[in-house]
Amino acid sequence: MAASWRYKLNMTSLIVLRRLTTQRLIGPQFATPADAVSFFGAVQGQDLLPAMWALGLRVRDATEALIEQATFDRQLVRTWPLRNTVHFVAPADIRWMLELSAPRALKENARQRELGLDEATFAQARRIIDHALRDGQPQPRQVLRQALDDAGVSTEGQRGIHILGRLAQEGLICMGPRAGKQPTFVLIDAWIPPAKPLTRDEALAELARRYFISHGPATIQDYIWWCGLAAAEARAGLEMVKSQLAHETIGKQVYWFDPATNVGDIAPSPVAHLLPFLDEYVVAYKDRGAIAPPAYNKLVDSGNIIFHQPILIEGRMVGIWTRKLNKDSVVISTQYFRPLAADEEDALRAAGQRYGTFLGLTAEFAPPQFVDSSRSLP
């Protein structure tokens, strides 16, 4: 292990180092966006532009245009496979993943009932959307909303997106490539070729294997949170694949991970990352204490760091960032939770330049701000 690693190599820092390596934030990267998504199983993607940067961080020589082209080429699909939330998935995985997770997700979606969406409404919407997409061409969301409204199915407020999400979870539709800045939808069977089906046990095992191989070290509680399955099914999936995994017990928690993960050849310290909103490195774990102490939630206006874009130094959160796009540049604004050393500042600027290259823009940094001194750090 590189002697220049900044943090003391205790159990927490080893968890962080393994996760950085496993998630390909350091070390070898993926050759294509499709390789990255297939490896992870599902990559959170409800906000498209940050989700593309999440892939860009892990794909060699990636640009935003490269990621977007992969959606046009049908190498990536965005839909609602887990936790009633949009993710990127590989085309070969979309059907078995929906079959595994959708029944529980649909049963527990109280928000649909609050919006007055019942089975009769969904049946009518299903016929309307199927007809609107029958020619196989992607249609913008607004076109589908208008078709529903014209047929007497109101899309007022949040009803429209919940109808489309429900039909996606049923396996009728998924998101297609963007039309300008607008999302489009397509019929899954017209857009994605058939793939080998999995039995439920095969699917339980495969989802568990993908998660722990791509996100470990992680606990069963982390996995239950990420997959959204019933706890008993999540545990059954882990039981089927645990012989393929390594594990370590830290305190009272058992952490599972890929035994092939090599943390021996890491980048020189320090390593900085500008993570996007809801990156898998943050959102995929129920316990985020290895990344940021719970007290850090008090340092952000929302009260929850998960709703902000983290600045990482060697895998640990040291602040948050936002961006502003200009014609030829992206201006990165930062707010630090602690002062940065000179070499950390250099690493952060390198991370910013990488983001600019991803966008095809020059990266500029606004003067940094610091957390309100009246808030106490842990």
Side-chain angles (χ1 to χ4, degrees):
M1 187 172 300
S4 57
W5 185 256
R6 183 174 302 270
Y7 293 111
K8 181 181 178 181
L9 289 176
N10 55 26
M11 288 299 184
T12 299
S13 61
L14 285 172
I15 289 172
V16 167
L17 181 54
R18 282 191 179 277
R19 286 179 181 173
L20 286 172
T21 306
T22 298
Q23 291 215 15
R24 308 297 178 90
L25 290 171
I26 60 175
Q29 295 187 309
F30 296 102
T32 69
D35 291 339
V37 171
S38 182
F39 174 74
F40 279 94
V43 174
Q44 180 123 352
Q46 66 192 66
D47 196 335
L48 177 59
L49 298 182
M52 290 198 292
W53 173 228
L55 294 178
L57 280 166
R58 296 161 168 91
V59 175
R60 188 166 58 248
D61 300 324
T63 63
E64 192 172 68
L66 176 74
I67 307 296
E68 186 139 39
Q69 187 61 47
T71 67
F72 278 91
D73 294 341
R74 311 185 193 192
Q75 298 172 7
L76 309 177
V77 180
R78 285 173 74 222
T79 193
W80 283 256
L82 302 172
R83 304 193 313 275
N84 286 311
T85 302
V86 177
H87 289 73
F88 276 119
V89 293
D93 297 327
I94 186 170
R95 292 183 178 89
W96 68 259
M97 203 172 289
L98 286 172
E99 289 174 3
L100 179 64
S101 65
R104 177 179 172 84
L106 294 175
K107 182 179 179 180
E108 295 187 349
N109 198 331
R111 181 59 177 152
Q112 292 179 358
R113 294 190 293 273
E114 293 172 2
L115 293 169
L117 297 171
D118 56 20
E119 291 305 317
T121 303
F122 286 123
Q124 183 181 3
R126 196 176 300 118
R127 292 190 294 270
I128 296 165
I129 297 301
D130 182 75
H131 182 266
L133 295 174
R134 185 48 52 187
D135 65 359
Q137 296 302 309
Q139 293 293 342
R141 179 173 58 190
Q142 190 54 42
V143 169
L144 300 184
R145 288 174 64 106
Q146 191 63 54
L148 290 166
D149 286 328
D150 290 346
V153 178
S154 172
T155 63
E156 184 179 5
Q158 293 294 308
R159 283 172 59 96
I161 193 59
H162 276 272
I163 289 170
L164 295 174
R166 165 67 179 258
L167 300 183
Q169 288 176 309
E170 292 179 354
L172 178 68
I173 62 175
C174 63
M175 289 186 178
R178 281 193 300 175
K181 295 184 178 180
Q182 297 300 314
T184 69
F185 289 82
V186 293
L187 294 175
I188 282 182
D189 287 344
W191 191 251
I192 300 170
K196 178 185 176 182
L198 300 183
T199 67
R200 190 163 187 84
D201 280 353
E202 288 173 335
L204 285 171
E206 183 61 15
L207 191 64
R209 187 190 69 82
R210 298 268 189 107
Y211 174 78
F212 288 104
I213 291 293
S214 62
H215 294 82
T219 67
I220 184 61
Q221 290 80 15
D222 292 327
Y223 177 54
I224 292 169
W225 151 251
W226 180 84
C227 70
L229 298 174
E233 289 199 311
R235 292 179 187 279
L238 174 57
E239 186 67 25
M240 293 178 206
V241 299
K242 68 180 185 180
S243 63
Q244 304 173 39
L245 304 172
H247 69 277
E248 290 183 7
T249 300
I250 302 175
K252 296 182 179 181
Q253 296 287 349
V254 180
Y255 288 81
W256 300 89
F257 56 93
D258 182 358
T261 301
N262 180 12
V263 296
D265 298 318
I266 64 172
S269 175
V271 178
H273 293 91
L274 294 169
L275 287 193
F277 176 59
L278 297 179
D279 189 88
E280 288 289 314
Y281 184 77
V282 177
V283 76
Y285 307 95
K286 183 176 182 180
D287 181 358
R288 303 179 182 102
I291 302 166
Y296 273 22
N297 290 316
K298 299 178 182 179
L299 305 182
V300 294
D301 291 337
S302 69
N304 192 336
I305 58 172
I306 198 173
F307 298 122
H308 299 266
Q309 300 196 121
I311 300 170
L312 301 183
I313 298 292
E314 294 182 344
R316 294 183 181 177
M317 191 172 181
V318 298
I320 57 177
W321 68 285
T322 58
R323 74 171 195 178
K324 178 182 178 182
L325 294 180
N326 296 322
K327 181 180 179 181
D328 299 314
S329 66
V330 55
V331 179
I332 298 168
S333 297
T334 57
Q335 183 177 7
Y336 298 156
F337 297 163
R338 65 165 174 82
L340 300 191
D343 58 351
E344 292 176 329
E345 288 275 11
D346 291 342
L348 181 59
R349 292 193 174 276
Q353 294 305 316
R354 181 181 177 188
Y355 183 55
T357 299
F358 175 77
L359 297 177
L361 299 171
T362 300
E364 302 174 0
F365 278 84
Q369 297 181 352
F370 292 85
V371 69
D372 187 341
S373 60
S374 64
R375 300 173 181 176
S376 58
L377 286 168

